[in-house]
């Protein structure tokens, strides 16, 4: 297989990236998170035991794998420490394996207060953020007033910086949103309380990755959220606050783009979306309820119910183009077991036009109607199948049609949540099954 691999979600998130990253990491020396924050939720199931990760890369369950959090991630110190404690209590050793970029911007309590105040003010037009301060932290980063992790190591400097930034944000909280201001000293004290634990984890991640690469070690880059939530290319403004595409693996980690060799696009066998925003194939009927119940479609981070619908090939094709996807990994195939008829959205109807690419104007996207192609379903169970020939003929036909419509080869099929419930089709990825 090519040296380094980027695992990317190709829809609106929740495609099952965590399981696939964990399954693949046996082949890699290091796993890197390169964007997002603790608004991500990656659920891993190994021999029936479930672990949910938010910030720490999914490779942490492999004892020989190094895990790095890149500069593109916005960092909640409290969330990171809570996650570390949970892993340690479960007997998963993290010491010496986890490193965090000194350039990560810190999420602090005033970011959360701003996030919540903004969503309240938007009312019915709310974006549907997780309320965890992700967006305001990225705003501070772009405005060049963000506070980076390395600044925490100088107490006097850190205190001055927090006081200055909070004076600015408290004005907005009071005068724009009518919210209560936050006192700066408790914010400073809470962050400094983590300094002893975080300092040994701080690293020059770009240099660490360069050294690994030069030594011939293989690196896996783990995306969070999904490509259709990308701040630039997603269904704006109903998007996340970071670049979620495969190209962000370079800028968000510090390893150059020529070191990204293979992009694995994770695609749920149907489509889900959390929060607000356009969703042409959404099903508010018995089938949508069936998908939600069988797929356990509740957010691992927030517990919010996911909206469910048929697989949207139009949006998926755009995502595959944006990410230069090398191969498809179809997840949750077993959720479709028992449906008599399946549908694939192959075009949108907008006014008198039939569109085969998504509109760039989000207002148009909202009113697009799906044009469907129907395929027969199957009644036999696909759960846990690891040989392609053992899948029902209708399931194979469904998968083949997805690959044809997307002009992208099938690489992996996931037939259940456990690490073992994985079927490999691309020889370049076959070693993960050994």
């Amino acid at each position: 297989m090519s040296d380094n691999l980027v695992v990317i979600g190709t829809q609106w998130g929740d495609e099952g990236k965590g399981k696939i990253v964990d399954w693949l990491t046996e082949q890699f020396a290091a796993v890197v998170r390169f964007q997002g924050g603790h608004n991500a939720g990656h659920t891993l199931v190994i021999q029936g035991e479930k672990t949910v990760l938010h910030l720490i890369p999914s490779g942490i369950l492999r004892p020989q794998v190094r895990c790095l959090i890149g500069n593109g991630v916005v960092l909640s110190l409290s969330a990171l420490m809570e996650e570390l404690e949970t892993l340690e209590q479960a007997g998963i050793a993290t010491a010496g394996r986890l490193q965090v970029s000194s350039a990560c911007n810190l999420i602090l309590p005033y970011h959360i207060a701003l996030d919540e105040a903004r969503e309240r003010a938007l009312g019915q037009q709310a974006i549907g953020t997780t309320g965890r301060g992700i967006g305001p932290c990225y705003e501070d980063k772009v405005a060049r007033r963000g506070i980076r992790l390395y600044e925490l190591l100088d107490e006097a400097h850190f205190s001055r910086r927090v006081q200055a930034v909070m004076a600015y944000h408290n004005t907005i909280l009071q005068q724009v949103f009518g919210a209560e201001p936050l006192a700066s000293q408790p914010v400073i004290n809470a962050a400094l309380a983590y300094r002893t634990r975080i300092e040994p984890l701080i690293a020059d991640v770009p240099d660490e990755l360069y050294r690994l690469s030069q030594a011939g070690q293989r690196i896996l880059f783990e995306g969070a959220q999904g490509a259709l939530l990308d701040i630039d290319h997603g269904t704006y403004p109903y998007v996340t606050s970071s670049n979620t595409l495969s190209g962000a693996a370079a800028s968000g980690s510090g390893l150059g783009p020529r070191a990204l060799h293979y992009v694995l696009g994770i695609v749920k066998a149907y489509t889900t979306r959390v929060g607000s925003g356009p969703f042409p194939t959404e099903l508010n009927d018995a089938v949508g309820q069936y998908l939600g119940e069988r797929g356990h479609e509740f957010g691992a981070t927030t517990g919010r119910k996911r909206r469910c619908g048929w697989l949207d090939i139009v949006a998926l094709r755009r995502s595959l183009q944006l990410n230069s996807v090398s191969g498809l990994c179809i997840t949750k195939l077993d959720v479709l077991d028992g449906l008599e008829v399946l549908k694939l959205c192959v075009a949108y109807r907008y006014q008198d036009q039939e569109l085969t690419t998504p509109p760039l104007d989000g207002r148009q996207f909202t009113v697009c109607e799906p044009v469907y192609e129907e395929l027969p379903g199957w009644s036999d169970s696909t759960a846990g199948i690891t040989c392609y020939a053992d899948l029902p003929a209708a399931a194979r036909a469904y998968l083949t049609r997805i690959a044809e419509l997307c002009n992208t080869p099938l690489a992996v099929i996931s037939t259940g949540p456990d690490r073992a419930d994985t079927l490999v089709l691309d020889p370049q990825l076959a070693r993960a099954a050994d």
Side-chain angles (χ1 to χ4, degrees):
M1 178 185 169
S2 301
D3 291 339
N4 299 330
L5 174 71
V6 184
V7 174
I8 207 82
T10 60
Q11 297 160 297
W12 283 293
D14 310 309
E15 300 93 351
K17 297 179 291 295
K19 172 207 163 161
I20 299 302
V21 170
D22 166 71
W23 170 75
L24 284 165
T25 44
E26 193 172 19
Q27 304 179 47
F28 292 84
V31 181
V32 189
R33 265 285 304 277
F34 57 87
Q35 50 77 217
H38 63 306
N39 54 340
H42 291 172
T43 302
L44 317 178
V45 181
I46 293 91
Q47 296 180 348
E49 291 292 321
K50 184 166 82 170
T51 301
V52 180
L53 299 171
H54 304 281
L55 273 169
I56 296 174
S58 301
I60 201 69
L61 300 189
R62 301 278 192 178
Q64 79 283 8
V65 175
R66 292 175 61 184
C67 293
L68 300 97
I69 297 176
N71 57 275
V73 174
V74 289
L75 187 69
S76 164
L77 293 170
S78 60
L80 178 63
M81 294 306 159
E82 183 180 334
E83 202 164 313
L84 280 170
E85 288 170 10
T86 300
L87 289 170
E88 288 163 7
Q89 288 170 6
I92 299 164
T94 61
R97 294 203 294 128
L98 178 65
Q99 293 180 295
V100 184
S101 172
S102 62
C104 285
N105 275 244
L106 296 178
I107 299 172
L108 294 166
Y110 51 84
H111 293 125
I112 298 169
L114 283 164
D115 202 350
E116 292 174 343
R118 215 175 262 157
E119 286 287 278
R120 282 196 303 270
L122 286 169
Q124 301 249 336
Q125 281 74 49
I127 302 297
T129 75
T130 58
R132 300 191 173 203
I134 309 294
C137 186
Y138 275 115
E139 289 176 39
D140 274 1
K141 174 180 177 177
V142 174
R144 295 183 290 274
R145 61 174 169 262
I147 298 175
R148 290 183 165 190
L149 180 56
Y150 62 74
E151 297 183 74
L152 186 68
L153 304 182
D154 184 333
E155 182 174 342
H157 166 81
F158 179 76
S159 299
R160 288 193 299 271
R161 289 277 284 117
V162 170
Q163 287 167 353
V165 176
M166 286 192 69
Y168 171 81
H169 284 310
N170 273 333
T171 300
I172 296 173
L173 282 169
Q174 289 178 282
Q175 297 186 10
V176 177
F177 298 112
E180 290 295 316
L182 276 65
S184 60
Q185 200 56 50
V187 172
I188 293 165
N189 293 343
L192 289 172
Y194 293 115
R195 185 171 55 172
T196 301
R197 287 203 65 192
I198 195 69
E199 188 169 1
L201 306 182
I202 298 175
D204 181 345
V205 168
D207 190 58
E208 293 289 335
L209 293 174
Y210 179 76
R211 291 174 185 275
L212 283 168
S213 189
Q214 290 297 105
Q217 299 293 303
R218 303 174 67 213
I219 304 165
L220 189 150
F221 297 83
E222 178 180 18
Q225 290 87 43
L228 299 177
L229 293 174
D230 183 88
I231 186 66
D232 288 311
H233 298 282
T235 49
Y236 192 87
Y238 299 100
V239 291
T240 195
S241 302
S242 60
N243 286 113
T244 59
L245 303 185
S246 57
S251 58
S253 69
L255 191 64
R258 286 197 300 168
L260 310 179
H261 303 116
Y262 188 106
V263 179
L264 183 64
I266 314 300
V267 185
K268 197 175 285 186
Y270 47 101
T271 306
T272 62
R273 180 164 196 164
V274 172
S276 304
F279 186 178
T281 65
E282 183 174 9
L283 296 171
N284 296 304
D285 59 10
V287 175
Q289 185 176 350
Y290 180 89
L291 295 173
E293 290 175 356
R294 279 188 57 89
H296 306 289
E297 296 298 350
F298 296 90
T301 298
T302 64
R304 289 185 295 176
K305 185 178 179 180
R306 297 175 187 141
R307 301 152 65 191
C308 298
W310 296 118
L311 183 57
D312 188 336
I313 297 293
V314 181
L316 178 57
R317 273 196 300 250
R318 169 61 62 84
S319 180
L320 301 180
Q321 293 167 8
L322 293 170
N323 285 289
S324 294
V325 167
S326 311
L328 296 175
C329 170
I330 309 292
T331 62
K332 290 199 167 185
L333 180 68
D334 56 304
V335 175
L336 301 181
D337 294 352
L339 290 172
E340 292 184 7
V341 176
L342 303 176
K343 296 183 181 182
L344 295 172
C345 174
V346 295
Y348 296 152
R349 187 170 291 109
Y350 174 71
Q351 295 178 349
D352 295 329
Q353 299 174 284
E354 192 167 288
L355 308 177
T356 54
T357 57
L360 297 177
D361 186 330
R363 296 168 300 175
Q364 296 175 0
F365 208 141
T366 302
V367 296
C368 283
E369 296 179 358
V371 177
Y372 287 120
E373 177 180 305
E374 292 191 359
L375 292 90
W378 55 88
S379 56
D380 294 340
S381 173
T382 62
I385 290 178
T386 57
C387 175
Y388 191 73
D390 292 340
L391 290 173
R396 296 198 303 272
Y398 180 72
L399 294 168
T400 299
R401 186 59 179 148
I402 293 170
E404 288 173 350
L405 289 167
C406 294
N407 194 31
T408 306
L410 297 170
V412 179
I413 310 298
S414 173
T415 56
D418 200 278
R419 181 189 283 171
D421 301 334
T422 311
L423 189 162
V424 193
L425 297 173
D426 189 336
Q428 295 185 82
L429 302 176
R431 276 196 289 166
D434 294 344

